[in-house]
């Protein structure tokens, strides 16, 4: 509807890439050639608009084939899906990975976020600028763009490559020379520094072949699903209640209550979703799990479907994780072949199908309702809650959405039993927890520890501050988290312990800065991150993140508006407004790290 | 949505339609063109111009054959079902496909969904009414609502969407040749007596002439003087060459308008009138809702509001008329029109608008006009079916005139452009003839080339625009640019004897290339 004639026509290659995804057009009104029948009748309306969720996959298809989304391709996709071109354009430009500035050849996405910046990202970007010109999708051979965190912080600095006909690839660490050799080899998930016998969530990483279902089953895979079938859906929910398992995505909501909400919601269609849109700077644990133990994600989703009554699941993987996406796809195929997915899962008589959804570069899509919007084919704009997802989630149906780590922890509850699980950690924070250590630590990586481990113990586990230097600060929870300093080393890492200290575990990111760190640029990068990633829907966040960045820039330039105290007051005001009045967590946390750095008077923070 | 491109011609109304669609409502669009409204439809039925009755009758027959008609409603509230059923029996899906060009499967689907729907509405506009058999077209649609009971209930109904914000108000106030205010029959002695008592004057006991009869009277020479208020008939009437001759032959013409229209330029006297923001009064919307309109600014120059002009004219003609305020005129009217009796200015202000019938000041107004049909037993007259037969358009297609030209409106212009033509619109499509790309190729023309468009009555030149919403053999022109592409030079002035409306929608033309590309 309202499809205005776009002058540019899609090329044959663009059409072909879209048709491979959507099938050939059904009529002239869906992008095909005009026939006599088309002059007499057209079918569209609700049926045509029900294809809307294919918008992002169609963009990916075109861009993977030809490198960018031209106006002609956008018009063709709009016609095929009956989405107004202006709206389709609004969606395409929302996502950082989509390139609408055709023409484009290969693109290098170079991370210049807070962790990579500690490892020479600035120099790397300078060298790219010298070699390829300024950042932007502008070249028909090789171009480059600056990127937010790519989730490779344990081997910074990192880059992501895209090449037409090839898709995406990661490289880390990179240097000025290697970054221009576009590599599409799959990297190993990451180094595990702990003894695997002490590990639960990480026990298969790097030890069990992630592409083999047999290897997964030999290592205890699918025990949890069979246990779940023995217990029955209600039994699973009770076990989760007893285990005390709370969500690892940041909100710490009890999983038993969430799943029960979906199970008890009325309606013919329900969904479960694995939130693999891990985009919080400094966070990479879910990548490790998805790349290194993809069958566990599939199994956990199957359990979720069984317990909640959902027959359809989606795994939303951030676009910057091509290896995770491929391995999950492969795992789903293998599980489907083995009838561990499909019309009669494991011979237990229930239906469950699973699909992988590729994100396209939008931090906000980690927010659950924004993630729904993204799967539905819209800009990733969060919705007001209530209604909560368990009542009205994906496609307005009851939906259970969980972080990847939470799902894998649920498997542990079933395999080891809820009591064993509940004995790990503290009373209110049960089970094992993953932390992503990066920055100035000796051995960066993902660490699995029981809840209640102190920050100091965690740092010691990672070999302490790199080079034996003094600790400057730790950014706990990523850009949306808070800075703590050496005064907090005894803080127990639990939901209750961090919250008592005015902090939050957030995503499990633990970014370490040494005593020589200048925090001025770090804060500016955090401010830029939020300004860039604000979806723009609600005013406090859209305006607030811009004003916050401007105030920090003025302070850094020593050109405050009024006095420094005035600027501080302004920053405080902005923080209050964003925290109180933003629709979602992005705006609500866009100032917390900055505020905490100012409070702690970290080195180089304008005072 | 039948014979209506509301997306462009009624954009505000269409926003409401879109809300319904977003809430899950399904929409069928019957239109020769796949218009921008049709782009929102679940099914578009690309009917041949003027074959609506064949389609409607086939839908009716299919509903009856599938037993989807509402027998209980038909028995209680309607008359003439048997004759109707007998009439539509001849309109099989196959025959309807042959006449209308729409595949039988699509007609069947429309019948099944309309028949089986809990609630359903039929909205129509000029695609139904600008035909030589306009009234029969409307009756054919009304039959469908009576057949299914989709009338007089919440969510169901028959919705003739009015072409202007206050067309309904004009009718309400008796601006019709055969009606007094409140739709009271001018030939009814009792009604007339009530008005005569209050007005202190005698009212002619015979209905006046509608516009097509006025044309005939001008041709005969029995109508020699014309007072035109807010119309531009020189450019808005069909067969405009004839119309120009008629107006030029008048002895005397007064034009009262807010702009100097082309008709005004022919007038002996022009009375500058006030616009809507310059007058007090009321509007009545398509849903019979009367709303207050308030004067915001004084009219410019010598312009006066209509009440002042008419009162002064009366005094100039030797009658001692006062100049009433809008409220005084309204109060007099509602004293005489039971439909409006309860609508005081205070209540209109308070409620934001009331829907007639609203006979008394304690009456809340009426959401449905025909809710009475659901009373058991039905109160008042039973609603009659009208068996109507398909009759093709008057201007037949021949080898000499092989293309069907239909006319209509675009989003950013209004009728003959008197009001909208003075404003810049970024996406305005100027006066062009829209052809299917296939017809364009056959003519050997490219977009922008000038062509000659010829009908049995006249010809014009216009640039070509290709429009994919047209199939081969169908052409379209808007009515908005009479100064350079006066489509009514081409249109046929055959008119519907019941409504007096001319067949603007169906002209036979041929197109000739002027330049080769």
């Amino acid at each position: 509807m309202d499809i205005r004639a776009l002058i540019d026509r899609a090329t044959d290659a663009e059409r072909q890439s879209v048709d491979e995804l959507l099938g050939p057009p059904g009529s002239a009104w869906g992008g095909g050639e005009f026939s006599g029948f088309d002059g007499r009748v057209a079918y569209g309306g609700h049926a045509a608009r029900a294809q809307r969720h294919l918008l992002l996959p169609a963009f990916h298809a075109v861009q993977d084939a030809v490198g960018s989304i031209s106006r002609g391709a956008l018009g063709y996709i709009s016609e095929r899906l009956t989405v107004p071109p202006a709206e389709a354009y609004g969606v395409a430009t929302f996502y950082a990975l989509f390139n609408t500035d055709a023409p484009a050849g290969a693109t290098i996405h170079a991370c210049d976020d807070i962790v990579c910046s500690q490892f020479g990202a600035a120099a790397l970007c300078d060298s790219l600028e010298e070699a390829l010109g300024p950042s932007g999708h502008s070249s028909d051979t090789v171009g480059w763009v600056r990127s937010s965190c790519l989730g490779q912080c344990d081997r910074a600095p990192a880059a992501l490559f895209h090449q037409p006909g090839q898709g995406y690839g990661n490289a880390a660490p990179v240097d000025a020379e290697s970054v221009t050799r576009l590599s599409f080899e799959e990297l190993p998930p990451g180094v595990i520094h702990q003894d695997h016998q002490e590990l639960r969530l990480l026990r298969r990483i790097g030890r069990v072949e992630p592409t083999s279902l047999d290897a997964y089953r030999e290592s205890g895979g699918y025990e949890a699903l069979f246990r779940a079938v023995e217990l029955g859906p209600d039994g699973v929910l009770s076990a989760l209640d007893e285990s005390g398992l709370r969500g690892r995505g940041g909100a710490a909501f009890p999983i038993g209550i969430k799943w029960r909400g979906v199970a008890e919601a009325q309606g013919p269609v329900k969904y479960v979703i694995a939130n693999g849109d891990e985009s919080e700077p400094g966070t990479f644990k879910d990548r490790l799990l998805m790349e290194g133990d993809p069958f566990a994600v599939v199994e956990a989703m199957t359990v979720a479907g069984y317990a909640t009554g959902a027959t359809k699941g989606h795994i939303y993987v951030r676009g910057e994780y091509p290896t995770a996406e491929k391995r999950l796809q492969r795992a789903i195929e293998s599980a489907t072949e083995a009838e561990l997915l499909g019309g009669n899962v494991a011979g237990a008589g229930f239906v469950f199908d699973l699909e992988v959804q590729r994100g396209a570069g939008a931090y906000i899509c980690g927010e659950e309702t924004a993630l729904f919007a993204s799967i539905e084919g819209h800009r990733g704009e969060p919705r007001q809650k209530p209604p909560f997802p368990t009542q009205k989630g994906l496609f307005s149906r009851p939906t259970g959405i969980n972080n990847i780590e939470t799902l894998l922890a649920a498997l542990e509850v079933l395999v080891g039993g809820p009591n064993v699980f509940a004995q790990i950690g503290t009373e209110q924070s049960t089970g094992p927890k993953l932390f992503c250590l990066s920055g100035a630590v000796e051995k960066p990586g993902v660490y699995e520890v029981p809840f209640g481990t102190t920050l100091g113990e965690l740092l010691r586990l990672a070999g302490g501050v790199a080079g034996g230097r003094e600790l400057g600060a730790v950014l706990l929870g990523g850009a949306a988290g808070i800075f703590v300093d050496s005064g907090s080393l005894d803080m127990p890492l639990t939901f209750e312990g961090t919250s008592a200290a005015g902090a939050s575990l957030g995503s499990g990111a633990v970014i370490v800065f040494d005593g020589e760190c200048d925090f001025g640029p770090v804060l500016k990068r955090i401010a830029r991150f939020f300004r860039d990633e604000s979806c723009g829907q609600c005013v406090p966040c859209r305006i607030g993140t811009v004003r916050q960045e401007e105030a920090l820039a003025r302070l850094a330039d020593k050109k405050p508006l009024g006095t420094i105290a005035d600027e501080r007051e302004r920053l405080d005001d902005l923080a209050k407004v964003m925290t109180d009045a933003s629709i979602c967590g992005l705006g609500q946390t866009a100032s917390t790290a900055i505020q905490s750095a100012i409070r702690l008077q970290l080195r180089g923070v304008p005072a | 949505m039948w014979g209506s491109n509301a997306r462009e011609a009624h954009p505000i109304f269409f926003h409401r339609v879109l809300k319904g669609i977003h809430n899950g409502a399904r929409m069928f669009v019957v239109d020769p063109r796949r218009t921008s409204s049709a782009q929102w439809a679940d099914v578009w039925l690309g009917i041949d111009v003027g074959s609506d009755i064949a389609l409607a009758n086939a839908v009716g027959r299919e509903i009856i054959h599938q037993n989807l008609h509402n027998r209980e409603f038909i028995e209680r509230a309607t008359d003439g079902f048997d004759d109707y059923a007998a009439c539509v029996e001849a309109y099989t899906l196959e025959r309807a496909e042959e006449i209308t060009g729409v595949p039988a499967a699509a007609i069947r689907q429309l019948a099944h969904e309309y028949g089986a729907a809990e609630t359903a509405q039929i909205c129509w506009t000029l695609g139904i009414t600008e035909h030589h058999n306009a009234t029969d077209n409307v009756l054919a649609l009304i039959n469908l609502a009576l057949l299914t009971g989709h009338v007089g209930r919440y969510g169901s109904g028959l919705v003739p969407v009015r072409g202007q914000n206050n067309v309904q108000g004009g009718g309400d106030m008796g601006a019709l040749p055969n009606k007094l205010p409140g739709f009271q029959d001018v030939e009814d002695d009792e009604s007339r007596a009530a008005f005569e008592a209050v007005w202190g004057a005698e009212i002619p006991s015979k209905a006046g002439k509608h516009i097509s009869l006025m044309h005939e009277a001008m041709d005969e020479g029995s109508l020699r003087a014309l007072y035109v208020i807010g119309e531009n008939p020189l450019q808005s009437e069909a067969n405009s060459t004839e119309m120009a001759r008629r107006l030029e032959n008048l002895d005397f013409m007064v034009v009262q308008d807010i702009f100097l229209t082309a008709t005004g330029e022919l007038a002996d006297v022009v009375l500058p009138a006030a616009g809507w923001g310059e007058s007090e009064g009321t509007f009545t919307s398509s849903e019979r809702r009367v709303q207050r309109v308030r004067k915001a600014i004084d009219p410019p120059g010598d312009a006066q509001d209509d009440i002042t002009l008419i009162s002064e004219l009366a005094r100039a003609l030797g009658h001692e008329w006062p100049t009433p305020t809008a409220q005084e005129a309204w109060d007099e009217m509602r004293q005489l029109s039971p439909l409006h009796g309860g609508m005081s200015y205070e209540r209109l202000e308070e409620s934001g608008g009331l829907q007639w019938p609203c006979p008394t000041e304690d009456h809340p107004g009426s959401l449905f006009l025909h809710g009475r049909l659901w009373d058991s037993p039905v109160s008042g007259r039973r609603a009659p079916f009208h068996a109507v037969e398909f009759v093709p358009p008057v201007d037949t297609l021949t080898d000499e005139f092989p293309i069907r030209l239909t006319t209509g409106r675009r989003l950013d212009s209004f009728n003959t452009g008197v009001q909208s033509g003075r404003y810049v619109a970024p996406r305005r499509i100027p006066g062009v003839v829209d052809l299917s790309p296939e017809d364009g190729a056959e003519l050997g023309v490219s977009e922008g080339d000038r062509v000659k468009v010829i009908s049995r009555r006249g010809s014009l030149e216009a640039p070509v625009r290709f429009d994919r919403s047209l199939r081969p053999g169908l052409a379209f022109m808007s009515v908005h640019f009479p100064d350079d592409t006066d489509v009514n030079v081409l249109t046929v002035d055959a008119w519907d004897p019941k409504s007096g409306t001319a067949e603007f929608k169906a002209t036979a033309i041929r197109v000739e290339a002027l330049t080769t590309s």
Side-chain angles (χ1 to χ4, degrees), chain A residues 1-2 34 39-40 42 44-46, chain B residues 7 21 25 40-42 44 46 471:
Chain A
M1 69 300 311
D2 279 7
F34 187 85
R40 289 301 183 177
H46 293 285
Chain B
R7 177 80 183 91
I21 288 173
W40 281 95
D42 293 286
W44 162 66
R471 61 181 163 267

Side-chain angles (χ1 to χ4, degrees), chain B residues 98-119:
Chain B
E98 207 172 291
I99 297 173
T100 64
V102 178
I107 304 173
R108 186 190 303 117
Q109 190 183 348
L110 170 58
H112 289 198
E113 291 204 29
Y114 181 75
E118 290 267 305
T119 56

Side-chain angles (χ1 to χ4, degrees), chain A residues 294-564:
Chain A
F295 284 102
V297 180
V298 173
E299 182 187 357
M301 285 295 283
T302 313
V303 171
Y306 177 70
T308 58
T311 54
K312 181 75 195 278
H314 293 268
I315 306 175
Y316 189 99
V317 184
R318 78 177 293 210
E320 291 85 346
Y321 287 177
T323 307
E325 187 232 330
K326 280 184 211 123
R327 294 203 177 149
L328 286 165
Q329 292 280 20
R330 222 172 296 156
I332 289 170
E333 281 161 28
S334 305
T336 307
E337 269 171 41
E339 297 189 349
L340 292 164
L341 284 174
N344 181 12
V345 175
F350 73 96
V351 179
F352 189 69
D353 287 299
L354 201 46
E355 197 177 305
V356 175
Q357 221 77 38
R358 277 165 82 181
Y363 170 71
I364 188 62
C365 289
E367 198 283 336
E368 54 193 13
T369 60
L371 188 150
F372 301 150
S374 184
I375 293 181
E376 291 165 6
H378 294 271
R379 295 161 65 89
E381 289 175 353
R383 302 171 189 161
Q384 293 277 12
K385 290 186 278 191
F388 291 100
T390 50
Q391 296 300 317
K392 248 182 142 177
L394 183 63
F395 299 112
S396 298
R397 304 288 193 180
T399 302
I401 176 166
N402 293 101
N403 178 260
I404 299 287
E405 183 191 344
T406 315
L407 287 164
L408 266 65
L411 295 182
E412 296 308 312
V413 170
L414 291 169
V415 172
N419 297 331
V420 173
F421 189 91
Q423 276 159 23
I424 305 168
T426 67
E427 201 172 316
Q428 290 180 56
S429 306
T430 58
K433 174 77 190 100
L434 301 181
F435 290 97
C436 314
L437 276 93
S438 66
V441 284
E442 199 58 40
K443 292 183 288 178
V446 177
Y447 290 83
E448 178 179 329
V449 294
F451 267 113
T453 306
T454 66
L455 182 58
E457 284 163 357
L458 192 61
L459 289 185
R460 274 194 293 283
L461 210 53
V465 179
R469 292 190 294 273
E470 200 183 323
L471 180 68
V474 174
L475 180 54
L476 207 56
I482 73 158
F483 285 99
V484 295
D485 59 13
S486 51
S488 298
L489 289 176
D490 294 333
M491 175 172 66
L493 296 171
T494 56
F495 296 125
E496 63 277 14
T498 46
S499 123
S504 147
L505 286 184
S507 63
V510 180
I511 307 173
V512 181
F513 301 86
D514 63 31
E516 278 143 51
C517 178
D518 176 1
F519 287 89
V522 177
L523 294 200
K524 277 175 74 176
R525 184 64 185 90
I526 290 172
R528 170 153 72 91
F529 176 79
F530 282 110
R531 188 257 299 145
D532 199 35
E533 297 291 352
S534 172
C535 79
Q537 180 187 205
C538 71
V539 178
C541 174
R542 181 179 70 228
I543 309 290
T545 53
V546 176
R547 294 289 172 263
Q548 175 173 266
E549 187 188 18
E550 289 170 351
L552 284 171
R554 286 193 301 266
L555 284 169
D557 294 346
K558 306 218 180 319
K559 287 178 187 162
L561 206 60
T563 64
I564 289 174

Side-chain angles (χ1 to χ4, degrees), chain B residues 112-258:
Chain B
H112 289 198
E113 291 204 29
Y114 181 75
E118 290 267 305
T119 56
Q121 304 182 11
I122 303 177
C123 306
W124 71 86
T125 57
L126 303 181
I128 283 295
T129 54
E130 287 188 345
H131 286 285
H132 75 280
N133 52 351
T135 308
D136 286 356
N137 281 346
V138 173
L139 292 170
L141 300 184
I142 291 173
N143 288 338
L144 297 180
L146 295 178
L147 195 56
T148 51
H150 287 322
V151 64
R153 289 191 288 128
Y154 187 83
S156 276
L158 288 156
V159 188
V161 189
R162 294 302 205 168
Q164 305 189 22
N165 63 329
N166 196 30
V167 175
Q168 185 65 49
D172 283 12
M173 297 304 108
L176 293 167
N178 57 343
K179 298 288 179 187
L180 290 159
F183 301 98
Q184 298 171 78
D185 200 332
V186 79
E187 296 190 358
D188 180 80
D189 292 343
E190 219 172 289
S191 303
R192 219 170 48 248
F195 281 88
E196 285 172 341
V198 173
W199 288 354
E202 198 179 320
I203 300 169
S205 61
K206 287 280 163 216
K209 296 178 194 304
H210 59 61
I211 193 156
S212 295
L213 285 174
M214 290 165 79
H215 295 168
E216 286 189 355
M218 286 187 239
D219 291 343
E220 287 163 8
S222 60
L223 196 163
R224 312 286 315 154
L226 197 63
Y227 180 12
V228 180
I229 305 180
E231 276 279 342
N232 183 18
L234 177 63
Q235 295 181 322
S236 64
E237 292 303 310
N239 197 354
S240 52
T241 315
E242 278 298 294
M243 195 63 204
R245 187 188 52 72
R246 285 182 191 120
L247 296 177
E248 279 159 8
N249 285 348
L250 289 168
D251 291 345
F252 181 68
M253 179 163 68
V254 186
V255 168
Q256 180 170 321
D257 209 306
I258 60 172

Side-chain angles (χ1 to χ4, degrees), chain B residues 411-433:
Chain B
L411 177 67
D412 40 15
S413 293
F414 186 74
N415 285 350
T416 61
V418 168
Q419 293 167 75
S420 54
R422 343 186 143 235
Y423 301 102
V424 175
R427 294 187 55 257
R428 179 172 288 153
I429 297 167
V432 293
V433 55

